[in-house]
Amino acid sequence: MKILSFINTKGGVGKTHLSAFLAGLYADMGLRVLMIDADADQASLTQFYEIKHQASEGLVETLTQGTVSAKCVSQTVFDNLDIVCANDANGELRTWLASRMDRAVRMREALRSPFVAENYDVIIIDTKGNGGPMEDAAAFAANTIVSPIVPDIISSREFLSGTIALIEKLEEGRAIGLEPPPVKAVIYRMERTRNAAEVAALLREAVADREDAGITVCQTVVPQAAAFTQAASDRIPLQRLSVNRKRPNKEIEVLHRLAWEIMPEYTHVYAQGCSSFEMSTEEGGQNE
């Protein structure tokens, strides 16, 4: 089982959109995906896809009870794609988690429940745009941290200061036997401008010095494109947008490449998923 946590200390860089689109792609490829909305304040991932079955419990019960049970898992309208919804309307969960001695491992232990192991291949955790006990818990639960970066000066500075500082702070976990996961930064919403290209190049150069700390930048660059906005507005996975057979949606191809780069161990699944996708688009219309 693979666990991906989407973390960046700056809000508005696309963590929720990227996590939702990758979750939808992995699910359409046949992997059983469980999303965790750990942004209790905004609950954006909870609202991203339409819910078919609303569970009676959610993130609060997952963490306070220390396990994921069937009662915590809601079902979206898409096959293989479930979610533990954010349900902390009063904002008390962070305070509760901060008071726990086991706060750093609370989410990791909850995701080790037999229910999760038996029913899911991939876990995707979306977090709030800041640092704190919830982000620490999400980080230590993960096999890989994914951090989207918009290539503008403000977002890049925040990544190089706030996000990397948060990641380096995770090194303190080694003292209690917690291994910090590797970090894959993703250049996201890349505009076709000279300034964006220059900032992206500087980002790669700056992060190259930190590869020994397990921080790398993905080769795949996700462009700024209307397709992402449209899919989010329609509340559907990106690959389910209507595709013109003569002019394939390049953003879908980019997302496939990124999915492979983040989880290369599922190469056989990607090949099968791509074949299925190509067959469905040859038939025309939406891939539903």
Side-chain angles (χ1 to χ4, degrees), residues 40-41 60 86-96:
D41 296 335
V60 170
N87 61 339
D88 183 29
N90 296 324
E92 299 173 352
L93 189 56
R94 281 179 176 269
T95 302
W96 178 89

Side-chain angles (χ1 to χ4, degrees), residues 22-33 80 121-122 256 259-260 263-277:
L22 282 172
L25 180 59
Y26 290 137
D28 268 359
M29 287 178 171
L31 293 170
R32 300 168 301 170
V33 181
N80 300 322
D121 304 304
V122 181
H256 272 279
W260 177 87
M263 295 201 314
E265 58 268 45
Y266 284 107
T267 302
H268 63 291
V269 176
Y270 304 140
Q272 182 178 357
C274 287
S275 298
S276 299
F277 174 73

Side-chain angles (χ1 to χ4, degrees), residues 4-249:
L4 307 176
S5 287
F6 287 70
I7 296 174
N8 191 307
T9 54
K10 186 179 187 306
V13 296
K15 291 188 301 299
T16 300
H17 280 198
L18 187 58
S19 62
F21 287 140
L22 282 172
L25 180 59
Y26 290 137
D28 268 359
M29 287 178 171
L31 293 170
R32 300 168 301 170
V33 181
L34 177 64
M35 302 182 292
I36 309 286
D37 190 349
D39 184 352
D41 296 335
Q42 296 187 4
S44 299
L45 189 60
T46 295
Q47 303 169 56
F48 200 92
Y49 293 127
E50 183 181 347
I51 301 294
K52 177 173 63 177
H53 165 70
Q54 182 70 56
S56 59
E57 299 178 352
L59 181 67
V60 170
E61 291 77 16
T62 290
L63 293 181
T64 57
Q65 296 172 11
T67 188
V68 178
S69 68
K71 293 190 295 184
C72 297
V73 176
S74 298
Q75 298 174 348
T76 74
V77 295
F78 302 107
D79 292 341
N80 300 322
L81 189 58
D82 295 341
I83 182 170
V84 173
C85 296
N87 61 339
D88 183 29
N90 296 324
E92 299 173 352
L93 189 56
R94 281 179 176 269
T95 302
W96 178 89
L97 186 62
S99 69
R100 299 279 307 188
M101 290 292 291
D102 62 348
R103 57 186 174 274
V105 297
R106 194 71 181 176
M107 189 174 296
R108 184 186 73 173
E109 295 306 310
L111 293 176
R112 288 181 172 179
S113 71
F115 177 80
V116 173
E118 292 168 5
N119 291 283
Y120 299 103
D121 304 304
V122 181
I123 312 296
I124 289 184
I125 306 172
D126 185 34
T127 65
K128 185 178 174 62
N130 62 6
M134 188 73 75
E135 287 65 42
D136 290 348
F140 283 121
N143 305 118
T144 301
I145 292 173
V146 180
S147 187
I149 319 169
V150 178
D152 60 47
I153 293 299
I154 295 175
S155 298
S156 301
R157 284 176 178 169
E158 175 60 32
F159 175 79
L160 294 173
S161 56
T163 303
I164 286 187
L166 171 64
I167 291 164
E168 291 176 341
K169 181 175 177 289
L170 298 178
E171 291 290 328
E172 298 173 5
R174 295 184 188 276
I176 56 173
L178 296 176
E179 189 71 20
V183 179
K184 295 189 177 184
V186 179
I187 296 176
Y188 189 62
R189 297 203 304 235
M190 175 82 169
E191 295 182 345
R192 296 182 179 180
T193 65
R194 172 188 276 183
N195 181 66
E198 290 175 350
V199 172
L202 290 173
L203 270 170
R204 291 188 183 279
E205 183 178 341
V207 174
D209 296 333
R210 301 175 183 269
E211 288 189 5
D212 57 344
I215 305 173
T216 58
V217 179
C218 290
Q219 291 300 311
T220 305
V221 175
V222 182
Q224 173 77 284
F228 292 101
T229 303
Q230 185 62 56
S233 177
D234 292 348
R235 302 179 72 188
I236 59 173
L238 180 68
Q239 68 277 5
R240 290 179 178 247
L241 284 175
S242 295
V243 177
N244 185 311
R245 286 176 292 172
K246 294 182 179 179
R247 299 178 59 188
N249 190 325

